[in-house]
Amino acid sequence: MKKINIKVIGVLFLIALTLGSCKKWIDTDLNINPDAPTDAPMGSILTTAEVNMGFVTVGGNDYVRITSIWLQYVHGIARQSESQTQYILSDGDMSGQWNDNYGVSMEDIHTLLQKATAANHYYYKGIAEVLLANALGVTTDVWNQIPYSEAFQGAANLQPKFDSQEAVYTAIFKLLNQAIQDFSVEGFSGEVTGDIIYGGDVTLWMKAAYAFKARYALHTMKLNASIMPSPFDTALAALPHAFSDNAEDLQINFQEQYDKSNPLYLFMDNRGDIVMDSVFIAILTGHQDPRIAVFATSLGENLYVGAGWNYAGEDCSLPGTAVANPDSPVPLITNVECHFIKAECSFKKGDEAAAKVSLFEGLKASLDKFGVYSDLYFQAYQANLAAVSGAPLYKEIMMQKYIALFYQAESYNDWRRTDNAIGLVANPNAGRSEIPRRFPYANTEKTANANTPVVSDNWQRVWWDAGTPSK
Amino acid sequence: MRKFTIFLALLFFVGVEGLLAQTRVITGTVTSSEDKQPIPGVTVVVKGTTIGVNTNQDGKFVFSVPTKYDLLVFSYVGMKMKEVNIGTQSILDIVMDPDVLNMDEIVVTAIGVPRETKALSYSVQNVGSDEITKSARTDVINSMQGKVSDVQIINSAGVAGASSYIQIRGAQSITGNNQPLFVLDGVPISNSGGLNTVDGVAMSNRAIDINPDDIESISVLKGGAATALYGLQAASGAVIITSKKGKSTPGRKISVNFNTYIQFDQVSQLPELQTKYGQGTKGKWASGGRTSWGPRLDTCSYSLAGWDTYAWKEYDVDGKIVSKNDPNATGASIRTYDPYDFFETGLTTNNSLSIAGGGEVSTFYFSFSDNQSKGVIPNNKFRRNTFKISGDTKLGDKFKIAGSANYMITAGDRIQQGSNTSGVMLGLLRTPPTFDNSAGYITTTGAQRSYRHGTGYDNPYWTANMNKYNDQVNRLIGNVQLDYFTTKWLSFTYRVGIDWWGRKAKDILAVGSNAQASGWVHESMENNKDFNSDLMMTIDKDFGKDINLKVILGHNMQQHYYYLLNGNANDVVIPEYYNLNNSTAISSTEQTNKIRRAGLYGDVEVSWKNMLYLSVTGRNDWSTTLPQGKNSFFYPSVGLGWIFTQLPGLKDNKVLPYGKVRVSYAVVAKDAPAYVTSNYFLQPFLTDGWLNPAGIIFPWPGNIGYTASDILGNPDLKPEKTNTFEVGTDLKFINNRIGFSYTYFNNKGKDLILQVPIAASSGYLYQYMNAASMTTYGHEITLDIVPIKSKNWEWDITANWSLIRNEVLELAPGLNSLFLNGFTNSEVRATVGQPYRTFWGRDWKRNSAGQLLLTDDGYPQMNPDMVALGNIDPDWTAGIGSNLRWRDLSLYVLFDIKVGGKMWNGTRGALDYFGTSEGTANRDVPYLYEGIIESTGLANTKTVLQNEAWMAGDGSGFNGPNVDYLEDAGWVRLRTVTISYSFTKMLKKSFIKGLDVYATGTNLWLSTKYTGIDPETNLTGSDNAQGIDYFNMPGTRSYTVGLTLAF
């Protein structure tokens, strides 16, 4: 019996051991991921937010490629890019860009804005406001109504309403004005880390804020909108506070290293579905523009070929070193653009002389930026333009801006708000006589958010493009 | 060996006691009442103790029995169990009666509890060792194909080491695991892995580590009542594997088994390709051209004009292709190349050896196996070695300790596949018929030689030779079990097991490969540890003659731990030197997954007069993955079995000697994945659908970078629950010459946890929610017929038929469908109101009557909206097996039938675009689309050409609608044919105890409407999303010869 007792005690001991340890065994603290922090410093979020702006929101993904295909900078020769050249673009194609803009890019900026506001760190706050204004602008410019006032609330609102573009533009101007105010708070001197664009220099951020103010004011030029009654004056008033040198450009500088490189470079390396378009190549060669050497790859000495509407697999030039090198920067807004905004506004205000000055300054800044400035070309250009005025001058301003802003989506905004001042002809094989005017809403948002507006096709114009204020 | 097992026992238990003194020696012989022959291998145990032996070849047994025990129990498969009171006898002659009706058949049920089949209130099916061995499949999952009803098994590809997907009774979960729990000797083991990306290599799932020759039997637990005791882990069913063990057989201490086979594999069905037109576009030949819309080859010849200075002479090895009328034409006809010459004959050799035996006190089993496969794709290899040792020993007559250790090494050399510009089939099938890939894959300048001058897609020979993916798994599964028989009716069991595996993978892409021109080296180290312990008390007591009570009370603890360390070098500086440090772009990631669970469970079974069996179970689980307060959950089951032929009026009737009806109801609950209850920041990896896997890897120089996770944590998660109901009957007619089983089941899952895509405008992309509900019902029928049974002839036919219907009732508020896997515009989704797996894509524009709306030219037009186009899951499946034996010669034939179920032939969709598919041979043949001209409303009479321009746009599945590429993937196939001859009787007097020689053919015949490869395939492997074929590796048919030898 004694032996039995030992065994029974043994068994009971085992039971006690296993049951007794149950409380400790089931510890819900174990459900905290050891490989991810639950909070992160503002500087680390800022770095991500900036790279995001360059890599996914403005310079990568589908946004700049589709608009550049439509604006005939480049030509899609395979996969979706080929369809987009035929103006086929469906909601399923949009999920990547939309989800990245909201779930990746703006979410981080918004998180930074909230943290900076809570910490009364005016500089992080101001930078977040500038970035958010730009991200909202990029998003609304191709999608019109977008969520903002109810966005970024997580579980509190899983289906945010869509604000009108007018409301979004109101918010953009408010954010920019607030940023300017925040950068100017007297007596504040908080340190900014993680700023890979300006190294924490808020005076440069202030200039960027003014530059954006000018750009977004100009977008509303068709409207005479109540929120922006005099866009040209507003832009002209903002520009003196904006950039004065290419070195001040707001741009993401990508790097030689493969996993830090430019999104277009990576696209060409991994997919290569686009080549240069014959329209843009013809414009450059027609102008004998020296920038062609950096905008496109040559197929032989000074031989540049773009794909035409009847492209059939022949060898074509590819996007060049200015935009498709590993270390090509992705600009968000530049000194060059400011000069062209000034040129256009001056023209619209009737001051053709000032317009020309700014046009030349813009061209020179652009040639400088791409390292192809020569007195010969620049002076010849000035001479050629001596007698040009009126509508041809306006077209020339827009054309030079179109060239200078190669592979930037801002050109698509310019094309729409000027109603094709540069005179592009739509793809005759596409079955639609006009270049599309917007993106369709992303399939994922349509599925998950019942508030997503219904848009009949991609030729519906956004609020500022439609030309009549929505009330 | 005995010393070893005792030593093993000592390690875990220190209560060894001396052998009991008061014993007597009992000897005896067991014979069969049927043929009066002795029965070898009968298990003889002293009831309520550990003491037991097996009869030897002559049916004899001998052992010492303590005088205080007097009840012996004799059991043997196919014989009725017999209890004998020893009384004062010392020599026993036992006659056992055949169990024609399998009344005493024992199956292993949940937690490793053996139960009589007749007592069960649910359906269970078994697969035996002989069937497993002779099916000659490397992965044990495949050896069950076609043999078990309601079980769907899909071997993802015909490459060596490819994964197999197994699903029991349809899908239960939306985004969670839908594959059953695997249990080896009572211990849950890992069957993870096997998930492929759309653009990587075919991975193995971990069930492939098991040596099929070590398996004694597999029992498949299907419904909730069957798996209730296992709890949440077995919510999708359980595959219970019982391994072979040593036996205590007097006079035969050791038995040796040797199994060997050699197998040849060939690619089976392949897509048909055109050989009429050459490389190029618009009817003109173009060297390096992407597509095969070039000239008609019968109008062409070669030209060697200017050959010396021709830039592409290493590519266009036969010459430039010109018109026959060209002044430089050589006059030679154009050669076309068969891309399928690329495939080789696969070769698998399998050798396994086991040594088993035992005495009165201990038994042991040792085995070694070696399986080596060379796939049909050059350089694709898989190898498995296993070592197993197990044993048990009795520590006196009350304690028994058993343990096993199973060490496995598997290694694979895997080849790039799928939607991958370095994928084998992608480059192979897009190659124009005029280009010879086999004429070298590297040029004299070191560049890649492929039909697009090295760009675009890899030459398949390049990728098979230069891009290497190698992985190795080391795995140890061990368990120890302690049984304590307190009295005749009360016993305790403690079982603890661990399954540990480590996997190392190296994925190399050579510089110059099209998937990444800069090359890459990806290294990963995985470490997986599953710990499980069960402590059980078992009561088995008769109350009077009529009532038996069985009670199990148990406690369970488990821990799942997984750790992954990834190092990525995203360029390769010195070519062909593959080391993580040979890179300017290095990054690393860590990933951990740790889950603990605990459970308390009870099972009470009362039987009355061997006629009524009532079983009630309950289990409470605690899990760390759910929030505090919601992480404890209880779920019950109840079942009733009624053997109505035990009723006085029906008993012992000849026509229907056995009839049972059974009904059961169970609730099965499941916890959440780890780490989804709170919000996190992550180090970002920025990419998009075009660049992946390239992209921005953080840290940014000098700046660390963090991003808010896309997944919104949910602190309100609760367990998901599935209610399952099943009812069925088992009938045996005329001496069990006809057996019939029918089961109907109905599962309804609610609060199913899934990763719900939420509106990105919320700031997040996903949240885990208790949102979905899904219902599944099905019918399963199995029929066994023995038309002939005599001494020399025996023929039995086993057929099973399953119909499963499943419907997603709800996903999440506002969410109508959920992406499971696939490509943009070609997606497998779970869709509300549809079966679980629906294929979404684009259709043509149609009117309300479904007629095509055509352009004025007579072409159909794409409707850009994605719609549900069809269902992946089959309408019904069946397996029909026939086993015909004449004397010692047997012929086994197994047909596998799948009716309905679609497969997306994305391969053909792309090849129509590239002009290499068979259909594109008709590019000059006018075609009439039946439909209505949209602008006029009139029926179309205009014929059109399905030419390059059309196929480059909406005409092919590459850019256009994929509705026409969703094909019926049903099949009838000859899954297995085995001819075997047994020399055992012939060699009866020799030292050889068994010798079978067999030849097996697998997939020898396939009939399907599917126009691509064998439709038993899936790009994403053993994934919830099935039905995707985009340049998948083809399936195979195999020829095997083997022998099993025992002495």
Side-chain angles (χ1 to χ4, degrees):
Chain A
M1 281 315 281
K2 209 175 175 186
K3 277 170 190 158
I4 301 286
N5 283 343
I6 290 169
K7 289 174 222 160
V8 170
I9 288 166
V11 169
L12 290 176
F13 175 72
L14 280 173
I15 295 172
L17 191 77
T18 44
L19 296 185
S21 58
C22 211
K23 263 247 162 80
K24 267 188 199 161
W25 183 253
I26 302 300
D27 179 354
T28 44
D29 284 350
L30 285 173
N31 204 34
I32 292 171
N33 189 344
D35 302 313
T38 50
D39 196 11
M42 287 189 279
S44 71
I45 302 172
L46 176 60
T47 307
T48 309
E50 291 179 357
V51 181
N52 273 336
M53 282 302 289
F55 196 81
V56 301
T57 308
V58 172
N61 238 315
D62 301 291
Y63 169 68
V64 68
R65 187 171 57 253
I66 294 170
T67 53
S68 293
I69 288 170
W70 287 352
L71 273 235
Q72 300 166 18
Y73 284 133
V74 293
H75 194 102
I77 57 160
R79 286 179 275 248
Q80 274 85 339
S81 296
E82 189 176 2
S83 308
Q84 285 149 14
T85 304
Q86 306 300 326
Y87 306 151
I88 297 168
L89 183 66
S90 71
D91 55 1
D93 300 324
M94 289 283 87
S95 300
Q97 184 73 56
W98 176 273
N99 289 351
D100 279 350
N101 282 13
Y102 273 97
V104 178
S105 182
M106 283 195 272
E107 166 62 10
D108 283 337
I109 300 169
H110 187 259
T111 303
L112 176 62
L113 181 57
Q114 279 187 317
K115 287 173 87 79
T117 306
N120 283 324
H121 196 302
Y122 296 104
Y123 293 168
Y124 279 125
K125 178 165 174 269
I127 294 170
E129 283 156 349
V130 173
L131 292 173
L132 187 57
N134 185 212
L136 284 170
V138 161
T139 309
T140 187
D141 284 344
V142 285
W143 276 297
N144 199 25
Q145 293 150 280
I146 58 167
Y148 173 64
S149 59
E150 292 185 0
F152 317 115
Q153 292 177 11
N157 191 344
L158 291 178
Q159 299 194 37
K161 72 167 198 204
F162 280 62
D163 298 330
S164 69
Q165 190 173 61
E166 186 173 10
V168 176
Y169 261 70
T170 307
I172 289 170
F173 293 126
K174 197 175 156 196
L175 284 165
L176 293 170
N177 288 333
Q178 185 62 46
I180 290 164
Q181 218 174 33
D182 288 334
F183 293 135
S184 324
V185 169
E186 274 188 44
F188 181 76
S189 61
E191 194 199 0
V192 171
T193 63
D195 177 10
I196 63 159
I197 301 176
Y198 289 144
D201 184 343
V202 293
T203 60
L204 292 173
W205 278 106
M206 181 114 90
K207 291 184 177 196
Y210 278 110
F212 278 130
K213 240 180 121 167
R215 175 197 279 185
Y216 288 111
L218 192 54
H219 283 182
T220 67
M221 63 180 265
K222 280 188 189 175
L223 289 173
N224 194 18
S226 57
I227 62 158
M228 184 54 62
S230 42
F232 305 122
D233 292 330
T234 307
L236 286 171
L239 286 171
H241 305 287
F243 307 130
S244 54
D245 192 295
N246 288 344
E248 296 173 346
D249 287 352
L250 185 71
Q251 63 182 22
I252 316 301
N253 291 308
F254 289 93
Q255 305 189 355
E256 277 291 340
Q257 191 177 323
Y258 189 79
D259 61 13
K260 306 284 180 289
S261 50
N262 175 288
L264 178 59
Y265 165 75
L266 288 175
F267 180 82
M268 296 309 291
D269 185 54
N270 285 280
R271 298 283 178 165
D273 296 347
I274 55 174
V275 298
M276 293 301 290
D277 194 286
S278 60
V279 173
F280 189 58
I281 292 291
I283 289 171
L284 292 172
T285 48
H287 282 80
Q288 293 182 322
D289 195 308
R291 286 170 289 189
I292 196 167
V294 294
F295 286 172
T297 61
S298 66
L299 299 180
E301 199 167 336
N302 267 325
L303 177 62
Y304 297 93
V305 180
W309 300 129
N310 296 316
Y311 169 80
E314 55 271 16
D315 278 349
C316 289
S317 297
L318 304 178
T321 56
V323 291
N325 255 19
D327 60 351
S328 300
V330 168
L332 303 184
I333 193 160
T334 59
N335 178 43
V336 171
E337 185 179 331
C338 288
H339 285 301
F340 283 108
I341 293 173
K342 195 172 174 192
E344 185 180 355
C345 292
S346 302
F347 179 89
K348 289 288 185 185
K349 297 299 285 182
D351 188 347
E352 289 199 4
K356 265 190 194 174
V357 169
S358 292
L359 166 62
F360 295 147
E361 282 175 346
L363 173 62
K364 182 168 185 309
S366 176
L367 294 168
D368 279 341
K369 187 170 175 76
F370 296 119
V372 291
Y373 176 82
S374 73
D375 282 338
L376 195 68
Y377 176 80
F378 184 63
Q379 282 156 12
Y381 179 83
Q382 284 178 305
N384 279 343
L385 227 63
V388 178
S389 70
L393 177 60
Y394 185 68
K395 184 181 177 184
E396 184 57 24
I397 292 168
M398 296 320 297
M399 179 58 81
Q400 282 301 329
K401 188 179 183 191
Y402 170 68
I403 297 169
L405 268 60
F406 169 55
Y407 210 72
Q408 290 186 39
E410 184 57 16
S411 294
Y412 179 56
N413 297 332
D414 290 340
W415 175 83
R416 285 182 293 170
R417 66 179 176 77
T418 63
D419 284 323
N420 192 16
I422 55 174
L424 295 179
V425 178
N427 181 352
N429 302 334
R432 287 291 292 242
S433 57
E434 218 200 338
I435 294 169
R437 307 295 288 213
R438 60 165 295 149
F439 287 178
Y441 284 114
N443 183 39
T444 47
E445 187 77 16
K446 271 163 104 169
T447 309
N449 188 349
N451 297 317
T452 313
V454 176
V455 179
S456 56
D457 65 31
N458 301 339
W459 285 264
Q460 299 300 308
R461 297 179 179 212
V462 303
W463 167 71
W464 58 246
D465 187 19
T468 44
S470 62
K471 279 288 165 193
Chain B
M1 200 49 64
R2 187 169 142 186
K3 267 184 186 163
F4 176 79
T5 44
I6 290 174
F7 172 71
L8 202 71
L10 277 171
L11 277 179
F12 295 96
F13 192 74
V14 280
V16 191
E17 56 179 326
L19 292 170
L20 287 166
Q22 294 269 321
T23 63
R24 55 189 157 157
V25 173
I26 305 288
T27 61
T29 312
V30 181
T31 53
S32 161
S33 69
E34 198 176 29
D35 55 6
K36 316 290 183 244
Q37 294 293 313
I39 316 173
V42 175
T43 306
V44 189
V45 295
V46 181
K47 194 165 186 183
T49 73
T50 62
I51 304 165
V53 288
N54 291 89
T55 58
N56 69 8
Q57 199 74 9
D58 303 319
K60 290 199 161 46
F61 67 94
V62 54
F63 63 157
S64 307
V65 178
T67 45
K68 59 180 168 179
Y69 306 123
D70 51 10
L71 260 186
L72 296 187
V73 181
F74 293 81
S75 58
Y76 184 74
V77 177
M79 293 285 165
K80 284 186 179 158
M81 205 188 337
K82 194 155 191 167
E83 275 194 18
V84 174
N85 197 319
I86 307 172
T88 55
Q89 306 167 79
S90 58
I91 300 171
L92 294 168
D93 284 318
I94 306 297
V95 179
M96 291 182 83
D97 298 322
D99 181 21
V100 178
L101 299 173
N102 289 337
M103 290 287 277
D104 288 347
E105 186 192 25
I106 303 284
V107 288
V108 182
T109 64
I111 324 278
V113 176
R115 279 275 192 271
E116 293 162 309
T117 312
K118 68 180 177 193
L120 301 179
S121 57
Y122 45 81
S123 121
V124 175
Q125 261 176 296
N126 263 346
V127 182
S129 76
D130 197 50
E131 287 175 86
I132 296 167
T133 297
K134 286 179 182 162
S135 68
R137 304 297 292 263
T138 300
D139 187 339
V140 65
I141 292 177
N142 293 335
S143 62
M144 292 189 276
Q145 276 180 324
K147 290 174 185 156
V148 188
S149 59
D150 274 355
V151 173
Q152 197 187 0
I153 292 168
I154 300 166
N155 183 17
S156 66
V159 300
S163 63
S164 286
Y165 180 77
I166 173 168
Q167 178 182 284
I168 300 175
R169 287 191 176 167
Q172 316 291 336
S173 175
I174 303 284
T175 50
N177 185 12
N178 273 312
Q179 297 195 82
L181 173 71
F182 276 70
V183 180
L184 179 62
D185 292 333
V187 178
I189 58 167
S190 161
N191 180 33
S192 61
L195 298 176
N196 310 335
T197 55
V198 296
D199 57 0
V201 298
M203 311 283 249
S204 299
N205 50 308
R206 294 271 62 84
I208 205 169
D209 299 335
I210 299 166
N211 173 15
D213 292 335
D214 280 340
I215 296 174
E216 179 70 37
S217 74
I218 298 175
S219 90
V220 180
L221 307 184
K222 299 170 185 173
T227 60
L229 280 193
Y230 271 126
L232 53 90
Q233 284 196 102
S236 300
V239 173
I240 312 293
I241 302 171
T242 306
S243 58
K244 289 176 182 163
K245 307 225 166 29
K247 285 179 179 162
S248 315
T249 312
R252 187 166 175 238
K253 292 275 188 239
I254 283 179
S255 63
V256 178
N257 280 274
F258 176 65
N259 291 351
T260 181
Y261 69 74
I262 181 163
Q263 187 172 78
F264 302 94
D265 293 320
Q266 287 178 339
V267 282
S268 60
Q269 184 170 305
L270 291 162
E272 301 283 340
L273 304 172
Q274 64 90 7
T275 53
K276 208 170 159 187
Y277 296 90
Q279 183 171 17
T281 178
K282 297 200 163 41
K284 291 203 182 74
W285 180 71
S287 175
R290 215 155 61 94
T291 59
S292 297
W293 295 100
R296 255 186 91 128
L297 296 174
D298 55 9
T299 67
C300 294
S301 183
Y302 293 112
S303 157
L304 297 173
W307 192 248
D308 288 345
T309 55
Y310 181 52
W312 310 115
K313 62 183 171 189
E314 286 194 62
Y315 295 81
D316 305 317
V317 288
D318 293 315
K320 302 182 223 178
I321 295 177
V322 295
S323 160
K324 273 181 177 165
N325 305 324
D326 189 279
N328 294 314
T330 60
S333 322
I334 301 297
R335 276 185 73 179
T336 58
Y337 295 90
D338 182 358
Y340 300 138
D341 291 344
F342 174 75
F343 298 110
E344 301 177 341
T345 299
L347 176 70
T348 302
T349 56
N350 184 75
N351 292 291
S352 72
L353 177 75
S354 71
I355 302 169
E360 265 184 51
V361 176
S362 304
T363 68
F364 73 92
Y365 176 88
F366 165 80
S367 78
F368 164 76
S369 77
D370 176 47
N371 180 297
Q372 297 187 38
S373 313
K374 189 177 82 62
V376 292
I377 315 274
N379 295 322
N380 168 218
K381 286 179 200 145
F382 181 79
R383 182 166 187 178
R384 174 182 65 215
N385 288 111
T386 68
F387 306 85
K388 175 163 186 166
I389 183 158
S390 71
D392 63 61
T393 192
K394 292 148 194 168
L395 307 166
D397 55 356
K398 290 292 182 187
F399 276 99
K400 185 169 140 186
I401 187 156
S404 78
N406 201 345
Y407 178 55
M408 307 137 178
I409 311 164
T410 58
D413 288 334
R414 303 168 198 271
I415 309 294
Q416 299 288 326
Q417 65 166 18
S419 173
N420 174 346
T421 47
S422 288
V424 157
M425 292 295 276
L426 197 128
L428 189 73
L429 299 181
R430 291 180 182 187
T431 301
T434 45
F435 187 85
D436 183 11
N437 277 318
S438 68
Y441 56 85
I442 306 179
T443 66
T444 47
T445 60
Q448 185 182 155
R449 180 185 173 276
S450 71
Y451 86 90
R452 288 181 63 188
H453 297 167
T455 68
Y457 325 109
D458 282 354
N459 183 322
Y461 292 93
W462 167 283
T463 204
N465 285 287
M466 300 289 283
N467 298 331
K468 297 193 172 140
Y469 185 107
N470 171 272
D471 65 343
Q472 284 169 46
V473 171
N474 281 274
R475 182 172 188 178
L476 184 67
I477 301 176
N479 74 70
V480 172
Q481 177 169 329
L482 178 69
D483 292 297
Y484 172 40
F485 298 86
T486 314
T487 67
K488 274 180 199 168
W489 53 270
L490 176 67
S491 62
F492 292 90
T493 299
Y494 182 64
R495 186 193 300 131
V496 56
I498 195 150
D499 176 8
W500 172 88
W501 56 261
R503 177 173 178 270
K504 175 189 178 300
K506 188 163 194 164
D507 180 7
I508 287 166
L509 213 54
V511 175
S513 296
N514 281 293
Q516 187 162 310
S518 60
W520 77 48
V521 182
H522 294 175
E523 289 253 20
S524 61
M525 304 285 283
E526 287 168 280
N527 193 337
N528 188 88
K529 212 157 50 180
D530 285 292
F531 164 84
N532 185 82
S533 85
D534 277 293
L535 175 65
M536 280 178 283
M537 181 185 81
T538 307
I539 294 169
D540 184 347
K541 195 164 168 55
D542 292 332
F543 293 90
K545 251 180 72 182
D546 293 337
I547 295 174
N548 172 270
L549 174 72
K550 289 190 174 71
V551 177
I552 294 170
L553 293 175
H555 171 258
N556 173 253
M557 282 167 86
Q558 339 165 353
Q559 175 170 290
H560 170 69
Y561 173 79
Y562 172 84
Y563 175 76
L564 166 70
L565 175 64
N566 245 328
N568 298 321
N570 282 312
D571 62 357
V572 173
V573 176
I574 302 169
E576 298 191 50
Y577 168 55
Y578 298 110
N579 192 297
L580 283 180
N581 62 20
N582 182 27
S583 172
T584 65
I586 307 167
S587 66
S588 61
T589 54
E590 284 181 82
Q591 188 191 322
T592 310
N593 198 359
K594 188 173 183 179
I595 298 172
R596 278 187 187 166
R597 300 179 180 118
L600 279 176
Y601 52 87
D603 179 359
V604 178
E605 183 191 297
V606 188
S607 68
W608 180 66
K609 284 194 166 178
N610 287 330
M611 178 160 73
L612 270 178
Y613 295 85
L614 173 72
S615 167
V616 178
T617 73
R619 178 168 174 132
N620 198 88
D621 270 326
W622 291 263
S623 165
T624 56
T625 67
L626 288 165
Q628 192 95 47
K630 287 176 178 130
N631 66 341
S632 163
F633 43 103
F634 176 81
Y635 41 101
S637 86
V638 57
L640 184 69
W642 177 36
I643 302 174
F644 59 84
T645 47
Q646 294 285 67
L647 285 173
L650 294 171
K651 208 166 178 177
D652 298 328
N653 81 81
K654 289 274 189 289
V655 179
L656 182 65
Y658 179 87
K660 181 171 102 175
V661 289
R662 50 189 157 77
V663 57
S664 63
Y665 173 82
V667 182
V668 182
K670 206 170 177 178
D671 58 0
Y675 315 138
V676 297
T677 51
S678 29
N679 288 349
Y680 297 99
F681 284 84
L682 305 171
Q683 193 158 54
F685 167 60
L686 305 182
T687 187
D688 61 42
W690 302 103
L691 308 182
N692 204 2
I696 300 287
I697 295 166
F698 277 71
W700 193 262
N703 295 280
I704 180 154
Y706 276 105
T707 183
S709 166
D710 297 343
I711 298 174
L712 176 62
N714 187 346
D716 297 319
L717 281 179
K718 57 186 182 189
E720 63 179 45
K721 287 197 173 168
T722 300
N723 296 323
T724 74
F725 168 76
E726 80 174 73
V727 57
T729 183
D730 303 304
L731 306 173
K732 292 172 182 174
F733 299 91
I734 326 166
N735 260 344
N736 204 15
R737 295 290 280 265
I738 300 175
F740 173 83
S741 268
Y742 165 79
T743 304
Y744 165 83
F745 72 88
N746 191 332
N747 298 342
K748 189 170 175 193
K750 58 176 188 198
D751 294 334
L752 299 179
I753 296 172
L754 72 166
Q755 186 180 309
V756 179
I758 55 178
S761 52
S762 69
Y764 297 85
L765 302 182
Y766 305 98
Q767 186 182 35
Y768 281 85
M769 295 183 192
N770 288 98
S773 60
M774 181 158 65
T775 178
T776 310
Y777 71 87
H779 304 271
E780 60 182 70
I781 293 172
T782 58
L783 185 64
D784 301 288
I785 306 173
V786 187
I788 302 172
K789 191 174 186 178
S790 68
K791 198 168 173 233
N792 287 334
W793 284 94
E794 191 170 339
W795 184 24
D796 60 77
I797 301 166
T798 308
N800 66 70
W801 178 86
S802 319
L803 175 147
I804 297 172
R805 290 288 176 271
N806 136 305
E807 186 185 346
V808 178
L809 300 175
E810 193 182 3
L811 285 169
L815 184 68
N816 177 49
S817 67
L818 178 76
F819 179 79
L820 297 175
N821 216 329
F823 299 88
T824 304
N825 295 326
S826 304
E827 306 178 354
V828 179
R829 296 193 197 172
T831 310
V832 174
Q834 301 266 353
Y836 175 54
R837 298 181 178 95
T838 46
F839 185 83
W840 282 64
R842 293 191 285 209
D843 194 359
W844 299 110
K845 258 192 187 173
R846 295 178 195 271
N847 62 15
S848 54
Q851 290 169 297
L852 292 178
L853 292 174
L854 306 172
T855 62
D856 293 351
D857 298 332
Y859 279 112
Q861 310 169 72
M862 181 164 72
N863 178 351
D865 296 329
M866 295 263 289
V867 288
L869 293 174
N871 303 319
I872 305 295
D873 290 320
D875 297 338
W876 54 266
T877 57
I880 301 169
S882 151
N883 201 359
L884 179 66
R885 180 184 66 80
W886 174 70
R887 290 173 185 268
D888 296 321
L889 182 68
S890 342
L891 171 68
Y892 176 70
V893 177
L894 175 66
F895 285 93
D896 186 335
I897 302 164
K898 169 178 177 267
V899 171
K902 304 281 190 185
M903 167 81 56
W904 173 54
N905 194 344
T907 310
R908 184 167 63 86
L911 297 186
D912 278 357
Y913 171 93
F914 284 91
T916 58
S917 62
E918 189 191 29
T920 59
N922 300 323
R923 58 189 68 175
D924 293 332
V925 182
Y927 182 86
L928 181 77
Y929 281 99
E930 280 183 33
I932 307 290
I933 303 288
E934 190 177 17
S935 61
T936 63
L938 300 172
N940 179 37
T941 53
K942 273 188 196 167
T943 59
V944 293
L945 291 182
Q946 292 177 316
N947 56 10
E948 180 178 5
W950 171 238
M951 289 300 191
D954 291 351
S956 73
F958 203 55
N959 288 331
N962 36 22
V963 60
D964 297 335
Y965 298 91
L966 192 65
E967 300 182 16
D968 185 334
W971 66 60
V972 178
R973 71 171 75 225
L974 187 50
R975 176 69 75 185
T976 312
V977 180
T978 301
I979 299 174
S980 65
Y981 189 83
S982 171
F983 294 92
T984 307
K985 278 187 199 151
M986 205 181 286
L987 298 165
K988 202 172 178 185
K989 298 291 167 204
S990 75
F991 69 98
I992 293 173
K993 302 295 178 219
L995 174 61
D996 280 19
V997 179
Y998 65 93
T1000 294
T1002 307
N1003 291 331
L1004 293 188
W1005 175 76
L1006 168 68
S1007 166
T1008 178
K1009 288 184 197 154
Y1010 192 68
T1011 62
I1013 59 170
D1014 182 342
E1016 185 191 343
T1017 183
N1018 188 42
L1019 179 59
T1020 52
S1022 53
D1023 180 36
N1024 278 340
Q1026 296 283 324
I1028 306 172
D1029 177 12
Y1030 191 75
F1031 296 99
N1032 293 14
M1033 298 289 204
T1036 55
R1037 73 175 78 87
S1038 320
Y1039 308 88
T1040 310
V1041 285
L1043 67 83
T1044 65
L1045 177 67
F1047 48 86

